[in-house]
Short mmCIF file of all heavy atoms in Angstrom, two decimals:
data_model
loop_
_atom_site.label_atom_id
_atom_site.label_comp_id
_atom_site.label_asym_id
_atom_site.label_seq_id
_atom_site.Cartn_x
_atom_site.Cartn_y
_atom_site.Cartn_z
N ASP A 93 40.34 -14.47 5.38
CA ASP A 93 40.16 -14.47 6.83
C ASP A 93 39.62 -15.80 7.31
O ASP A 93 40.06 -16.35 8.31
CB ASP A 93 39.18 -13.36 7.24
CG ASP A 93 39.91 -12.05 7.42
OD1 ASP A 93 41.15 -12.09 7.36
OD2 ASP A 93 39.25 -11.03 7.62
N LEU A 94 38.67 -16.29 6.57
CA LEU A 94 38.04 -17.55 6.98
C LEU A 94 39.01 -18.71 6.90
O LEU A 94 38.98 -19.62 7.73
CB LEU A 94 36.82 -17.82 6.10
CG LEU A 94 35.47 -17.49 6.74
CD1 LEU A 94 35.19 -18.49 7.86
CD2 LEU A 94 35.43 -16.09 7.29
N ARG A 95 39.87 -18.67 5.89
CA ARG A 95 40.88 -19.74 5.79
C ARG A 95 41.77 -19.74 7.04
O ARG A 95 42.11 -20.77 7.58
CB ARG A 95 41.73 -19.53 4.54
CG ARG A 95 41.03 -20.04 3.31
CD ARG A 95 42.00 -20.27 2.16
NE ARG A 95 41.23 -20.45 0.95
CZ ARG A 95 40.91 -19.46 0.12
NH1 ARG A 95 41.33 -18.24 0.35
NH2 ARG A 95 40.18 -19.70 -0.94
N ILE A 96 42.08 -18.51 7.45
CA ILE A 96 42.93 -18.39 8.64
C ILE A 96 42.20 -18.98 9.85
O ILE A 96 42.76 -19.75 10.63
CB ILE A 96 43.30 -16.90 8.90
CG1 ILE A 96 44.19 -16.40 7.76
CG2 ILE A 96 43.99 -16.74 10.23
CD1 ILE A 96 44.32 -14.90 7.71
N VAL A 97 40.92 -18.64 9.96
CA VAL A 97 40.13 -19.16 11.08
C VAL A 97 40.10 -20.68 11.02
O VAL A 97 40.31 -21.37 12.03
CB VAL A 97 38.69 -18.59 11.04
CG1 VAL A 97 37.84 -19.24 12.12
CG2 VAL A 97 38.72 -17.09 11.24
N ALA A 98 39.83 -21.19 9.82
CA ALA A 98 39.74 -22.64 9.66
C ALA A 98 41.05 -23.31 10.04
O ALA A 98 41.06 -24.34 10.73
CB ALA A 98 39.38 -22.97 8.22
N GLU A 99 42.15 -22.70 9.61
CA GLU A 99 43.45 -23.29 9.96
C GLU A 99 43.68 -23.27 11.46
O GLU A 99 44.18 -24.23 12.05
CB GLU A 99 44.57 -22.52 9.23
CG GLU A 99 44.66 -22.89 7.76
CD GLU A 99 45.47 -21.87 6.96
OE1 GLU A 99 46.16 -21.03 7.59
OE2 GLU A 99 45.42 -21.90 5.72
N LEU A 100 43.32 -22.14 12.06
CA LEU A 100 43.47 -22.02 13.52
C LEU A 100 42.68 -23.10 14.23
O LEU A 100 43.16 -23.76 15.15
CB LEU A 100 42.98 -20.64 13.98
CG LEU A 100 43.94 -19.47 13.82
CD1 LEU A 100 43.23 -18.19 14.18
CD2 LEU A 100 45.15 -19.67 14.71
N VAL A 101 41.46 -23.26 13.76
CA VAL A 101 40.57 -24.25 14.38
C VAL A 101 41.17 -25.63 14.26
O VAL A 101 41.21 -26.42 15.21
CB VAL A 101 39.18 -24.19 13.72
CG1 VAL A 101 38.34 -25.40 14.13
CG2 VAL A 101 38.48 -22.90 14.09
N GLU A 102 41.69 -25.90 13.07
CA GLU A 102 42.24 -27.22 12.80
C GLU A 102 43.49 -27.47 13.66
O GLU A 102 43.68 -28.54 14.23
CB GLU A 102 42.60 -27.34 11.32
CG GLU A 102 42.59 -28.78 10.85
CD GLU A 102 42.48 -28.84 9.33
OE1 GLU A 102 42.60 -27.77 8.68
OE2 GLU A 102 42.27 -29.93 8.82
N MET A 103 44.35 -26.44 13.73
CA MET A 103 45.60 -26.57 14.49
C MET A 103 45.32 -26.86 15.95
O MET A 103 45.98 -27.65 16.58
CB MET A 103 46.40 -25.27 14.38
CG MET A 103 47.25 -25.23 13.11
SD MET A 103 48.42 -23.87 13.13
CE MET A 103 47.50 -22.49 13.65
N ARG A 104 44.31 -26.17 16.48
CA ARG A 104 44.10 -26.22 17.92
C ARG A 104 43.05 -27.25 18.32
O ARG A 104 42.76 -27.41 19.50
CB ARG A 104 43.65 -24.86 18.44
CG ARG A 104 44.75 -23.83 18.28
CD ARG A 104 44.21 -22.45 18.50
NE ARG A 104 45.24 -21.46 18.21
CZ ARG A 104 44.99 -20.20 18.00
NH1 ARG A 104 43.76 -19.76 18.04
NH2 ARG A 104 45.97 -19.37 17.76
N GLY A 105 42.47 -27.89 17.34
CA GLY A 105 41.44 -28.88 17.67
C GLY A 105 40.19 -28.22 18.19
O GLY A 105 39.37 -28.82 18.86
N GLY A 106 40.02 -26.95 17.94
CA GLY A 106 38.82 -26.23 18.38
C GLY A 106 39.16 -24.78 18.54
O GLY A 106 40.34 -24.43 18.68
N PRO A 107 38.22 -23.91 18.47
CA PRO A 107 38.51 -22.48 18.55
C PRO A 107 38.90 -22.06 19.96
O PRO A 107 38.40 -22.63 20.93
CB PRO A 107 37.19 -21.84 18.13
CG PRO A 107 36.17 -22.86 18.50
CD PRO A 107 36.80 -24.18 18.37
N ARG A 108 39.76 -21.08 20.02
CA ARG A 108 40.11 -20.54 21.34
C ARG A 108 38.95 -19.71 21.86
O ARG A 108 38.24 -19.08 21.10
CB ARG A 108 41.35 -19.65 21.20
CG ARG A 108 42.62 -20.48 21.09
CD ARG A 108 43.76 -19.61 20.72
NE ARG A 108 43.76 -18.37 21.53
CZ ARG A 108 44.84 -17.62 21.65
NH1 ARG A 108 45.97 -17.97 21.08
NH2 ARG A 108 44.81 -16.52 22.37
N PRO A 109 38.80 -19.71 23.14
CA PRO A 109 37.67 -18.94 23.71
C PRO A 109 37.73 -17.47 23.33
O PRO A 109 36.71 -16.82 23.20
CB PRO A 109 37.83 -19.12 25.22
CG PRO A 109 38.68 -20.33 25.38
CD PRO A 109 39.55 -20.41 24.18
N ASP A 110 38.95 -16.95 23.12
CA ASP A 110 39.05 -15.52 22.82
C ASP A 110 39.19 -15.25 21.33
O ASP A 110 39.58 -14.19 20.92
CB ASP A 110 40.24 -14.91 23.57
CG ASP A 110 41.55 -15.56 23.15
OD1 ASP A 110 41.48 -16.63 22.47
OD2 ASP A 110 42.60 -15.02 23.47
N SER A 111 38.92 -16.28 20.51
CA SER A 111 39.13 -16.06 19.07
C SER A 111 38.01 -15.25 18.44
O SER A 111 38.12 -14.82 17.31
CB SER A 111 39.21 -17.40 18.35
OG SER A 111 37.97 -18.06 18.42
N GLY A 112 36.94 -15.06 19.18
CA GLY A 112 35.84 -14.27 18.61
C GLY A 112 35.03 -15.06 17.64
O GLY A 112 34.23 -14.53 16.90
N VAL A 113 35.23 -16.36 17.61
CA VAL A 113 34.53 -17.16 16.62
C VAL A 113 33.40 -17.96 17.25
O VAL A 113 32.25 -17.84 16.87
CB VAL A 113 35.51 -18.12 15.90
CG1 VAL A 113 34.74 -19.05 14.97
CG2 VAL A 113 36.53 -17.31 15.15
N GLN A 114 33.75 -18.75 18.25
CA GLN A 114 32.72 -19.64 18.79
C GLN A 114 31.88 -18.94 19.85
O GLN A 114 32.40 -18.22 20.70
CB GLN A 114 33.38 -20.86 19.42
CG GLN A 114 32.37 -21.92 19.76
CD GLN A 114 33.04 -23.13 20.38
OE1 GLN A 114 33.95 -22.98 21.19
NE2 GLN A 114 32.59 -24.30 20.00
#
Side-chain angles (χ1 to χ4, degrees):
Chain A
D93 274 352
L94 258 290
R95 279 199 193 93
I96 293 165
V97 174
E99 283 164 13
L100 279 174
V101 168
E102 205 161 10
M103 275 191 314
R104 294 167 186 163
R108 282 170 45 161
D110 61 347
S111 66
V113 174
Q114 190 180 41

